[in-house]
Amino acid sequence: MTSYSAADHLYMQQALRLAEAATRRAAPNPGVGCVLVRDGRVIGEGATLAVGSDHAEIQAIKDCLSRGDSPRGATAYVTLEPCSHHGRTPPCAGRLIAEGVARVAAAMVDPYHEVAGRGIAMLLAAGVEASAGLMEAEARRVHRGFLSRVERERPWVVLKAAATLDGKTALLNGNSQWITGPQARQDVQRLRAASCAILTGSGTVLADNPQLTVREVPVAVQPWRVVLDGALKTDPSSRIYQGGRVLLASCAADPARLAAYQRQGVEALMLARGDGGADLTDLLRQLAARGVNQLMVEAGAGLNGALLRAGLVDEIVLYLAPSLAGDAARGLFAWPALTDLADKVRLDIVDVGKVGADLRLILRPGR
């Protein structure tokens, strides 16, 4: 087993920061970070660009050359194993070899079937010292969307919700604006910007007529907006269907009714039927096939509860306002009545922080 120094960890931390910043723009590719170091000095760094453009290693090499230096003899710290195949771009492992890099320390092996250890093998065969495993747990967190799509054939699902301290998302009459403060709502915009797609249900479209676009946060391309409307109950003129990059997921294979949405530029996803409605696993599988690494859910109690019951929620970002709405107001998750507390849904608290006047909890369903 390869041992790594404190300096190795320091440089990999820098690469991971670069990777995290590149995750959204690189999708569906992983947002990889790379740092080139020689004699204790960073001589180049880079992160993956949009699909079809440079990977992180190439960006780091170009950065090094632009500084008037050479990568020869350097160590490359990369958050994911360098690719070994010709895809939209040539293999990064081959370029590292050609530039004379002496050592490659990767955080983890790339599980994608075209790579899957072949990049490390290519480097070793060329006499480059190469290994994977430096800060792997941290890299898996940064690359969680890509890894979920490749390993599980579904996106990493982040469910966002906002509620009062007594767990209410809206009044009985549907009034929900605004439960949380402006800082929390701004934080939601950042969460949207980090997502490849945003999913909501027909009930939310009918009740709130939302846009679900990224606002006030710079983003090169708006995320896909996905409406789950099994029976085509929503109005094709609803705001969410305007502006392009919209998917309508439904079980209703009715060409005449679908045409009204398609005239707005909406694409239809035909879903299999599951228990009680659309097959949610089929929906996630189809989104993954379209390159969606991270899916954000902004929906009502019905879809929230269905996803949670199906075991399809990876993370919950819950904003709690310091207020009470009363017993009659609407709740977070539609759930069958329990007769035993042992059946309650268990959540692990990952992080707790304050955003303006509100609390933000990051939670993971207990496995």
Side-chain angles (χ1 to χ4, degrees):
M1 183 176 178
T2 305
S3 60
Y4 297 102
S5 68
D8 288 334
H9 283 80
L10 183 67
Y11 295 126
M12 184 58 77
Q13 284 174 351
Q14 186 171 340
L16 287 166
R17 286 193 293 271
L18 292 167
E20 194 146 30
T23 294
R24 174 65 177 85
R25 77 177 181 213
N29 289 339
V32 178
C34 178
V35 176
L36 293 172
V37 178
R38 189 178 55 238
D39 299 327
R41 183 173 62 91
V42 173
I43 59 172
E45 59 181 28
T48 306
L49 301 179
V51 171
S53 298
D54 289 344
H55 290 187
E57 298 92 328
I58 308 307
Q59 278 287 288
I61 289 168
K62 287 182 176 179
D63 182 43
C64 176
L65 297 174
S66 73
R67 302 182 190 199
D69 212 327
S70 165
R72 185 162 299 278
T75 293
Y77 295 91
V78 193
T79 61
L80 195 67
E81 173 189 12
C83 62
S84 55
H85 66 295
H86 282 269
R88 292 184 178 91
T89 58
C92 293
R95 180 65 183 275
L96 291 169
I97 292 166
E99 294 290 344
V101 169
R103 178 187 176 219
V104 174
M108 60 178 295
V109 169
D110 187 342
Y112 182 56
H113 66 91
E114 292 276 15
V115 187
R118 295 182 183 88
I120 296 294
M122 180 185 290
L123 291 162
L124 290 171
V128 178
E129 181 186 344
S131 63
L134 172 59
M135 301 183 69
E136 180 171 354
E138 292 87 342
R140 290 196 69 88
R141 181 189 65 79
V142 170
H143 296 309
R144 59 192 178 276
F146 169 76
L147 296 175
S148 178
R149 184 171 62 81
V150 170
E151 295 176 341
R152 303 187 298 176
E153 297 184 339
R154 72 169 182 83
W156 180 265
V157 176
V158 179
L159 190 154
K160 166 264 169 184
T164 58
L165 283 181
D166 52 349
K168 304 301 180 180
T169 62
L171 301 182
L172 194 58
N173 63 10
N175 188 353
S176 62
Q177 294 184 344
W178 295 102
I179 284 178
T180 54
Q183 292 92 337
R185 297 197 297 274
Q186 177 77 6
D187 201 58
V188 170
Q189 294 297 321
R190 287 191 286 270
L191 191 58
R192 286 181 184 176
S195 304
C196 301
I198 301 166
L199 170 67
T200 195
S202 57
T204 298
V205 174
L206 291 168
D208 299 336
N209 196 19
Q211 287 181 290
L212 293 187
T213 52
V214 178
R215 300 181 294 276
E216 303 171 23
V217 177
V219 61
V221 180
Q222 286 283 344
W224 284 99
R225 290 170 290 165
V226 186
V227 179
L228 179 60
D229 185 0
L232 300 180
K233 296 184 293 185
T234 54
D235 187 337
S237 66
S238 300
R239 294 200 302 167
I240 198 166
Y241 296 125
Q242 314 306 313
R245 287 183 63 81
V246 184
L247 300 172
L248 174 62
S250 181
C251 304
D254 186 330
R257 293 169 69 190
L258 286 170
Y261 301 94
Q262 291 167 332
R263 282 194 291 271
Q264 304 280 359
V266 175
E267 294 185 48
L269 286 182
M270 289 295 101
L271 302 182
R273 290 190 179 274
D275 295 336
D279 186 331
L280 296 174
T281 300
D282 183 37
L283 170 60
L284 296 189
R285 189 181 302 115
Q286 290 198 47
L287 291 177
R290 285 175 169 264
V292 174
N293 288 343
Q294 178 163 306
L295 174 68
M296 179 180 175
V297 180
E298 293 195 61
L303 182 52
N304 287 350
L307 287 164
L308 196 59
R309 286 196 303 278
L312 298 175
V313 176
D314 297 301
E315 191 169 276
I316 298 171
V317 180
L318 176 59
Y319 298 88
L320 287 177
S323 57
L324 303 171
D327 185 56
R330 300 181 181 183
L332 283 162
F333 297 95
W335 207 263
L338 302 182
T339 58
D340 192 325
L341 275 177
D343 297 327
K344 65 182 181 292
V345 178
R346 299 179 184 276
L347 303 171
D348 297 326
I349 298 175
V350 176
D351 184 67
V352 179
K354 197 172 181 187
V355 182
D358 306 308
L359 287 178
R360 182 185 63 196
L361 281 68
I362 299 178
L363 309 157
R364 299 266 174 88
R367 300 301 183 190

